[in-house]
Amino acid sequence: MDKKSLRQYIKEEKQRHTEAEQRQLDGSLCRRLLAHQRVAAAETVLLYWSLPDEVCTHALVEELLAMGKTVLLPKVVSGTEMTLHRFTSVDDMVRGAYGILEPAGAAVDIAEVAEMALPADGAGKGRRVVAVVPGVAFDAAGHRLGRGKGYYDRLLGQLPGLYTIGLCYPFQMVHKVPAELTDIQMNEVIC
């Protein structure tokens, strides 16, 4: 199945599930994510402020912040680029590109995040940061199908060594996601 057909298939699958079913799955998926060893150990979590058709992360963002973790959310700044921004409060967010709520503060230096992501001679420095990434579909090999703009692939490509966790509903796990060389593979997927 090509990417366009797979996006349509997943869209139809989402319509087969009620909002109540998805909200129930949201709670379960977010609890699993909070219990994940890498998330629990991380000082910084790159996350996303979910759209209505994604696993809802709004309470998760707030809970991670309450746990004392730094939460970084993406902000679309051009037709090809996202930057990362520190989440402080939902009150400090503005509606940005594509109608997504985004942090209003200054961008975080991507080089600093990359430095945290790289392992340092067994000292475990690479465990200080983890990314939780949305997607339209994932497969068991960690291939991810996004919405087609390549924002996450470009952003994650600047963060070598970053441990990535795809987050999706069970029906978004498919046998095979078509992948290109520029597509960033997830280290694992929670569904």
Side-chain angles (χ1 to χ4, degrees):
M1 187 177 304
D2 66 16
K3 289 183 177 186
K4 183 178 179 182
S5 299
L6 184 52
R7 285 186 184 98
Q8 183 60 37
Y9 169 77
I10 294 297
K11 181 179 179 182
E12 292 167 6
E13 281 297 306
K14 283 180 183 173
Q15 293 170 351
R16 295 186 214 291
H17 295 79
T18 67
E19 187 175 325
E21 289 172 328
Q22 289 181 3
R23 297 300 72 100
Q24 185 177 5
L25 286 169
D26 291 342
S28 171
L29 291 166
C30 288
R31 282 189 299 279
R32 285 181 53 208
L33 192 64
L34 281 170
H36 191 284
Q37 181 180 0
R38 286 196 181 256
V39 174
E43 295 170 10
T44 301
V45 180
L46 280 64
L47 200 52
Y48 62 97
W49 192 262
S50 56
L51 292 171
D53 67 340
E54 296 173 327
V55 173
C56 185
T57 59
H58 302 176
L60 178 62
V61 168
E62 299 273 3
E63 189 158 350
L64 288 167
L65 186 68
M67 292 168 65
K69 297 186 185 297
T70 298
V71 178
L72 301 178
L73 300 178
K75 179 177 183 173
V76 174
V77 293
S78 75
T80 60
E81 183 185 10
M82 287 192 311
T83 53
L84 294 172
H85 298 257
R86 188 180 306 267
F87 173 82
T88 54
S89 163
V90 71
D91 296 331
D92 296 330
M93 295 178 69
V94 295
R95 199 149 308 276
Y98 308 106
I100 302 169
L101 280 179
E102 301 171 332
V108 174
D109 184 354
I110 199 82
E112 288 181 28
V113 179
E115 169 84 12
M116 287 189 293
L118 293 173
D121 300 330
K125 186 167 80 172
R127 296 184 182 271
R128 291 174 39 205
V129 62
V130 65
V132 179
V133 183
V136 172
F138 296 90
D139 66 23
H143 295 113
R144 172 187 168 275
L145 177 68
R147 295 182 184 267
K149 301 283 187 186
Y151 285 110
Y152 274 97
D153 292 316
R154 283 187 291 278
L155 177 68
L156 295 173
Q158 298 175 65
L159 299 167
L162 177 64
Y163 194 86
T164 54
I165 302 171
L167 183 64
C168 69
Y169 296 115
F171 59 83
Q172 291 176 276
M173 279 298 284
V174 297
H175 176 68
K176 183 169 175 53
V177 169
E180 299 171 22
L181 291 176
T182 55
D183 294 337
I184 302 294
Q185 229 171 311
M186 301 293 101
N187 293 101
E188 67 178 290
V189 180
I190 292 178
C191 64

